[in-house]
Amino acid sequence: MTGMGFVYNYSGLMAARWFLGLAEAGLFPGVNYYLSCWYKRSEFGVRAAIFFSAAALSGSFGGLLAAAIELMNGIGGRPGWAWIFILEGLITVVFGVASFWMVHDFPDEARFLSDEDRIRVVRRLKLDQQSSAEHEEWSMKYLIAGLKDWKMWLGMVIYMGCDMPLYAFSLFLPSIINELGWSTSTVRSQLLSVPPYAAAAVLTVAIGFIADRTRQRGLCNIVVSLVGVVGFLMLLASTDPRVKYAGTFLGALGIYPCISNTISWMANNIEGVYKRGVVLGFVIGWGNLNGIVSSNIYLNPPRYLEGHGVIVAYMALFLFGGSLLMTTLLRIENKKRREGKRDYLIEGKTPKEIEALGDGKPDFFYTV
């Protein structure tokens, strides 16, 4: 990021951007994976939601910060846009260096906890059937186990249903704000882009809290995705900029909560810290790749019929349909486990071998 403030041509910018993407690609899945190793399954959702909603809010106010930093134009012989990259990049560098001392891999290694606190945290995780309490060692078998798990592949489908629309959101919102005719200055334009993101951040945290308490993450995805579909149908059907601006609220409300909720859902249902890391990497990585789609469908302003139509299809088919299929299959599997139809999986196995089954254990019940 900082290096992008010192480039002199397009090639240099693209090279710096490539290294930025390479460095930040693991941040979002890594933070969610890290949180899933510290908290019980019924506590993780709201924390993932707070993390993601903070990112959403920072993105919405980022334009205002950029507008302020751009006033430094000419200082040190650098243009204003370069100072945006330099200052925001330096903040990231400072926190990155500090993370070497602030972040501890697993609870049993946390130096900031007392011996009693470490015991308490590990005990809570064991009661929640969390393998992070056992301090697993990496093996290729976890990669293979993840690739064989149908939940990972269906999770990729669900996540692409909300992640592609997420990337597309910032592509058409400025056009709608411009159509309103209220944006008489850059600052006012940026302020008008904040309310949809702010509303989405609030609902994201609320859904995280509700899903944690009810353990109905699938139902939350289903209901919220319908709100998003309605919002994008408004964008498709209307030419009134006020109606379209209202539609962006519903669109944001239907997209943002499903991002953190889907990640929490996947993390809840994949046991074994390394298998969970593999699965979250595939799910989030595949969702990010769908950003390629969003950047190539918004071609005909100001209505963007093709773009909005593709997003409705993504949300209806992949997000709504995938969530409905996932929760149905998990409910069927939980029913079989309650009826003892999976008890044969542990016959003749030692306690250690049974523990190694992870979410395949007959007494492990999925979050639906």
Side-chain angles (χ1 to χ4, degrees):
M1 174 69 86
T2 304
M4 291 168 67
F6 296 96
V7 300
Y8 292 94
N9 53 47
Y10 181 76
S11 298
L13 180 63
M14 288 299 98
R17 183 68 186 176
W18 187 86
F19 282 106
L20 172 63
L22 182 67
E24 72 176 7
L27 177 65
F28 189 62
V31 170
N32 282 287
Y33 164 72
Y34 179 73
L35 291 173
S36 73
C37 294
W38 279 75
Y39 295 100
K40 294 166 62 177
R41 290 189 289 165
S42 60
E43 299 170 339
F44 173 52
V46 70
R47 286 162 175 84
I50 291 172
F51 167 64
F52 181 64
S53 61
L57 280 177
S58 64
S60 65
F61 286 102
L64 287 175
L65 179 61
I69 296 176
E70 198 169 13
L71 297 177
M72 297 177 64
N73 183 50
I75 296 178
R78 309 301 305 172
W81 63 263
W83 281 111
I84 295 173
F85 291 124
I86 293 169
L87 294 181
E88 293 186 358
L90 286 175
I91 294 173
T92 304
V93 170
V94 170
F95 278 96
V97 172
S99 68
F100 281 99
W101 291 274
M102 295 172 63
V103 178
H104 302 267
D105 290 345
F106 297 105
D108 59 348
E109 298 176 345
R111 293 189 298 274
F112 67 89
L113 294 176
S114 66
D115 291 338
E116 289 183 357
D117 286 337
R118 276 196 292 270
I119 292 171
R120 187 178 298 110
V121 171
V122 171
R123 180 174 178 274
R124 292 173 74 252
L125 294 174
K126 285 184 176 180
L127 291 174
D128 197 45
Q129 298 178 305
Q130 291 260 22
S131 294
S132 53
E134 306 297 336
H135 200 74
E136 291 179 341
E137 296 295 331
W138 165 252
S139 171
M140 285 297 293
K141 67 181 181 181
Y142 297 117
L143 172 61
I144 296 171
L147 292 173
K148 288 182 177 180
D149 196 328
W150 64 268
K151 298 190 299 296
M152 183 186 84
W153 300 102
L154 185 51
M156 290 165 65
V157 171
I158 296 170
Y159 193 68
M160 69 187 277
C162 52
D163 208 26
M164 190 282 276
L166 173 72
Y167 284 113
F169 201 77
S170 60
L171 300 178
F172 62 83
L173 182 57
S175 296
I176 295 174
I177 292 174
N178 186 56
E179 284 184 73
L180 287 170
W182 301 340
S183 50
T184 55
S185 67
T186 301
V187 172
R188 188 167 185 181
S189 296
Q190 294 293 343
L191 284 173
L192 286 170
S193 70
V194 171
Y197 291 107
V202 172
L203 185 62
T204 297
V205 176
I207 290 296
F209 180 83
I210 293 169
D212 276 351
R213 295 298 179 272
T214 63
R215 298 177 68 86
Q216 299 288 330
R217 301 199 188 280
L219 184 59
C220 288
N221 256 17
I222 291 167
V223 173
V224 171
S225 66
L226 290 176
V227 174
V229 170
V230 170
F232 279 95
L233 287 176
M234 289 171 64
L235 291 170
L236 273 172
S238 179
T239 57
D240 187 335
R242 292 169 296 182
V243 174
K244 291 199 285 186
Y245 188 58
T248 63
F249 277 83
L250 295 182
L253 293 175
I255 295 170
Y256 278 81
C258 291
I259 296 287
S260 57
N261 189 55
T262 299
I263 292 170
S264 302
W265 198 12
M266 294 307 301
N268 281 177
N269 291 327
I270 304 295
E271 190 42 56
V273 291
Y274 289 113
K275 180 186 175 185
R276 188 187 309 138
V278 167
V279 170
L280 288 179
F282 270 90
V283 169
I284 296 174
W286 177 247
N288 291 344
L289 278 175
N290 277 267
I292 298 172
V293 177
S294 63
S295 61
N296 287 282
I297 57 176
Y298 279 87
L299 305 174
N300 298 306
R303 296 196 64 186
Y304 297 114
L305 296 179
E306 301 91 343
H308 295 328
V310 172
I311 286 183
V312 169
Y314 258 70
M315 296 189 72
L317 182 61
F318 301 136
L319 180 54
F320 174 81
S323 297
L324 183 61
L325 179 59
M326 175 76 88
T327 191
T328 301
L329 294 176
L330 292 178
R331 290 171 192 273
I332 292 172
E333 180 60 28
N334 280 349
K335 184 174 184 291
K336 289 180 178 179
R337 295 186 180 195
R338 290 191 182 94
E339 294 172 350
K341 294 181 180 179
R342 293 289 184 259
D343 290 349
Y344 70 90
L345 294 172
I346 61 174
E347 291 177 359
K349 287 184 168 59
T350 64
K352 188 174 182 180
E353 290 173 330
I354 294 173
E355 188 65 29
L357 291 174
D359 54 88
K361 291 181 294 185
D363 62 346
F364 185 97
F365 293 99
Y366 293 115
T367 300
V368 297

